[in-house]
Amino acid sequence: MKQNIYDNPTFFEEYRKLRDSGINYNNFVEQPAFKETLPDLTNKKILDLGCGMGEFTRYCVTKGAIEVVGVDISKNMIDVARQHSSYAEISYINSSIEELKLPIGYFDVVVSSLALHYIKDYSDAIKKVNNCLKKGGTFIFSIEHPIVTARKKMDGWITDENGDTLYFPVDNYQEEGERTQFWYIDGVVKYHRTFSTLINQLIINGFQLEQLVEPVPIKAGLDAMPKIKNELRKPSFLIVKSTKLEGRDN
Amino acid sequence: MKQNIYDNPTFFEEYRKLRDSGINYNNFVEQPAFKETLPDLTNKKILDLGCGMGEFTRYCVTKGAIEVVGVDISKNMIDVARQHSSYAEISYINSSIEELKLPIGYFDVVVSSLALHYIKDYSDAIKKVNNCLKKGGTFIFSIEHPIVTARKKMDGWITDENGDTLYFPVDNYQEEGERTQFWYIDGVVKYHRTFSTLINQLIINGFQLEQLVEPVPIKAGLDAMPKIKNELRKPSFLIVKSTKLEGRDN
């Protein structure tokens, strides 16, 4: 059974409030850096794995994409995405990444924003992406940073008796696997993987690494959300840009 | 003025004791993993940047290398290396990496073990390595892990009142640059760089990333040096294997 926290009513309501407010790490840290890594999307066919409420699929169309497929495990999310989208270029599939069937060598660009840390079998997901990409195509994904997912007790920054932030605790780094966290609801499961696993699995499965980004907050974020300055002390996200090797068979 | 801690008599004496004992992180964590990443060295020309007392240069000859050049800033280290080495294949140069002059497109393999975190200008060192490598040649280096070098107050693990290890503190991650530490002597300077800087500078300067390793202790290390089990909780080292792109001009 794949985890589907976004169809939990409590989680979905809180998450939607967070995204609708505009005051969040996505808007101020992850998405600006993610968008900077994109190639020219004009006339491109794009797959968005974990498309959520469809903000990014719509963004792709405004940048000239001719076909965008958004995939999400959550029916709630896909329903919102469809309500907001009147673009003929976009279609949505309500499926887990694990159960998804995709055409071979079809897409120019595959993106996945903050979804792959929910996937148990990372290597299988990478193989799937490689199969559905054209040779030379681009795969860009973001995930929670290994520094953040490492410690099994995922309770965040260590503070002193005055509540001042001291440092971020790392532990259990080499023990990959499930991490369970409270995030609006109990029992949200993420998967910790080391840097080396994240990058080596890409390379082993036919990608060439192009760029890594550990994003820092944009200026507007520092103004609107003061605690975001802690991003300079510890990265929350890792963005990985890669290319499907030309010599790779489909 | 380049830092040359290994010619400080106090430091050198203590460091030599540590290496001669055989009970150290080099032997139990870093070197076993480093050697596993090596290509076949038969008939290869090899450059070792920061060769220290020459253990690795000698290892290369036993693996079939036809020419090995060891470079170290420390005259003490180079003197020991020369005393221990009677191989005609090995020559030593007493120079900083920064001031070193190298032939263009000459070496098959460049290695550097735990030296580049002492170098202020990482990008310049990478360019120098690229220039002296043949196209398709291999560059393998190890450094202290960014998780370890990040925090300006470099005082290691956080322990509780009983001395039990709680977690490893990360801070100041996005502030690259000098970190000063006590290691046998005061004022040992290392340079912190983020994971993304370490990898992106390689790619920008003409390398293709092949493999990352965050080494774990070998069994003998866990037996001989019990505290080394903490390596499973936090990586101390990062090993990076890359290839000079074929299409790259010298």
Side-chain angles (χ1 to χ4, degrees):
Chain A
M1 176 67 191
K2 314 289 174 295
Q3 180 182 229
N4 181 359
I5 49 175
Y6 294 89
D7 281 348
N8 174 299
T10 307
F11 183 92
F12 182 70
E13 189 182 341
E14 293 300 321
Y15 182 80
R16 190 164 179 182
K17 272 190 235 163
L18 175 74
R19 292 303 292 257
D20 287 350
S21 74
I23 309 295
N24 55 56
Y25 285 80
N26 306 71
N27 288 356
F28 293 143
V29 185
E30 187 261 354
Q31 276 294 300
F34 194 94
K35 287 174 179 168
E36 274 188 27
T37 67
L38 290 171
D40 180 10
L41 300 184
T42 310
N43 295 327
K44 296 287 163 57
K45 294 178 182 171
I46 298 165
L47 173 67
D48 182 357
L49 294 174
C51 65
M53 297 185 274
E55 300 91 331
F56 194 81
T57 58
R58 295 190 291 279
Y59 176 81
C60 291
V61 175
T62 67
K63 293 292 174 185
I66 50 164
E67 182 178 350
V68 187
V69 178
V71 176
D72 207 284
I73 192 173
S74 159
K75 187 172 181 306
N76 278 344
M77 296 289 236
I78 291 284
D79 285 347
V80 175
R82 286 187 176 132
Q83 284 160 26
H84 283 84
S85 178
S86 56
Y87 294 108
E89 294 90 343
I90 304 177
S91 58
Y92 290 106
I93 303 175
N94 180 203
S95 167
S96 69
I97 295 175
E98 292 89 335
E99 289 156 322
L100 189 63
K101 300 277 178 249
L102 291 165
I104 304 289
Y106 185 80
F107 294 102
D108 300 289
V109 179
V110 177
V111 297
S112 180
S113 167
L114 300 178
L116 292 183
H117 49 253
Y118 294 123
I119 303 289
K120 187 173 183 179
D121 192 337
Y122 172 73
S123 157
D124 192 63
I126 298 297
K127 287 187 181 90
K128 188 167 282 193
V129 171
N130 196 282
N131 280 335
C132 78
L133 264 177
K134 294 179 187 170
K135 289 178 188 176
T138 304
F139 176 35
I140 302 171
F141 69 94
S142 63
I143 46 161
E144 288 206 26
H145 200 286
I147 287 176
V148 175
T149 56
R151 192 170 178 232
K152 288 183 177 175
K153 189 176 174 187
M154 295 185 87
D155 55 2
W157 292 96
I158 304 296
T159 54
D160 66 13
E161 61 272 22
N162 304 316
D164 289 332
T165 302
L166 293 173
Y167 37 69
F168 193 88
V170 170
D171 202 353
N172 315 111
Y173 185 81
Q174 299 285 3
E175 290 181 68
E176 298 190 322
E178 267 190 45
R179 299 291 187 269
T180 305
Q181 191 178 26
F182 178 85
W183 184 31
Y184 300 133
I185 56 172
D186 274 326
V188 175
V189 173
K190 295 173 180 176
Y191 293 89
H192 168 64
R193 293 165 190 115
T194 64
F195 276 125
S196 38
T197 291
L198 290 169
I199 303 303
N200 292 343
Q201 282 298 320
L202 261 188
I203 294 171
I204 289 166
N205 289 300
F207 288 96
Q208 177 167 322
L209 185 67
E210 301 290 345
Q211 187 188 358
L212 295 176
V213 186
E214 293 164 301
V216 295
I218 59 172
K219 174 81 173 57
L222 290 166
D223 296 339
M225 201 176 173
K227 74 170 177 178
I228 220 168
K229 70 178 186 298
N230 281 340
E231 291 299 293
L232 299 172
R233 303 178 64 175
K234 174 270 305 172
S236 291
F237 309 109
L238 177 66
I239 301 171
V240 180
K241 180 176 183 176
S242 62
T243 306
K244 178 170 174 166
L245 283 174
E246 293 286 344
R248 180 85 179 175
D249 280 339
N250 273 310
Chain B
M1 176 67 192
K2 315 290 175 293
Q3 181 183 227
N4 182 358
I5 50 175
Y6 295 88
D7 280 349
N8 174 299
T10 307
F11 183 93
F12 181 71
E13 189 183 337
E14 293 300 321
Y15 182 81
R16 192 164 177 181
K17 272 190 235 163
L18 175 74
R19 293 303 291 257
D20 287 351
S21 75
I23 310 294
N24 55 56
Y25 284 80
N26 305 72
N27 289 357
F28 293 144
V29 185
E30 187 260 354
Q31 277 294 299
F34 194 94
K35 287 173 178 166
E36 275 189 24
T37 66
L38 290 172
D40 180 9
L41 301 185
T42 311
N43 296 326
K44 296 287 163 60
K45 295 178 182 171
I46 298 166
L47 174 67
D48 183 357
L49 294 174
C51 66
M53 298 186 273
E55 300 92 332
F56 194 81
T57 57
R58 295 191 291 279
Y59 176 81
C60 292
V61 176
T62 68
K63 292 293 173 185
I66 49 164
E67 182 180 350
V68 188
V69 178
V71 176
D72 208 284
I73 193 173
S74 159
K75 188 173 178 309
N76 279 342
M77 296 288 236
I78 291 285
D79 285 348
V80 175
R82 286 188 175 129
Q83 285 160 27
H84 283 84
S85 178
S86 58
Y87 293 109
E89 295 89 344
I90 304 177
S91 59
Y92 290 107
I93 303 174
N94 181 202
S95 167
S96 70
I97 295 175
E98 293 90 335
E99 288 155 323
L100 189 63
K101 300 277 177 247
L102 292 164
I104 305 290
Y106 184 80
F107 294 102
D108 299 290
V109 179
V110 176
V111 297
S112 179
S113 167
L114 300 178
L116 292 183
H117 50 253
Y118 294 123
I119 303 289
K120 186 173 183 180
D121 192 337
Y122 173 73
S123 157
D124 193 62
I126 298 297
K127 288 187 180 90
K128 188 168 282 193
V129 171
N130 196 283
N131 280 333
C132 77
L133 265 177
K134 293 179 187 171
K135 290 177 188 177
T138 303
F139 175 36
I140 302 172
F141 70 94
S142 63
I143 45 161
E144 289 205 25
H145 200 287
I147 286 177
V148 176
T149 56
R151 191 170 178 233
K152 288 183 177 175
K153 188 176 174 186
M154 296 185 86
D155 54 2
W157 292 96
I158 305 295
T159 54
D160 66 14
E161 61 271 23
N162 304 317
D164 289 333
T165 301
L166 293 173
Y167 37 69
F168 192 88
V170 169
D171 202 352
N172 316 111
Y173 185 81
Q174 298 285 2
E175 290 180 68
E176 298 190 322
E178 267 189 46
R179 299 291 188 269
T180 305
Q181 192 178 25
F182 178 86
W183 186 31
Y184 301 133
I185 56 171
D186 274 326
V188 174
V189 174
K190 295 173 180 174
Y191 292 89
H192 167 64
R193 291 165 191 114
T194 64
F195 192 65
S196 40
T197 291
L198 289 169
I199 303 303
N200 292 342
Q201 282 299 318
L202 260 189
I203 295 171
I204 289 166
N205 289 300
F207 287 96
Q208 177 167 322
L209 186 68
E210 301 290 345
Q211 188 188 358
L212 295 177
V213 185
E214 292 164 302
V216 295
I218 60 171
K219 175 79 173 56
L222 290 166
D223 297 338
M225 201 177 173
K227 74 170 177 179
I228 219 168
K229 70 177 187 297
N230 281 341
E231 291 299 293
L232 299 172
R233 303 178 64 175
K234 172 272 303 172
S236 291
F237 308 109
L238 177 67
I239 301 172
V240 181
K241 179 176 183 176
S242 62
T243 306
K244 178 170 174 166
L245 283 174
E246 292 286 342
R248 180 85 178 175
D249 281 339
N250 275 310

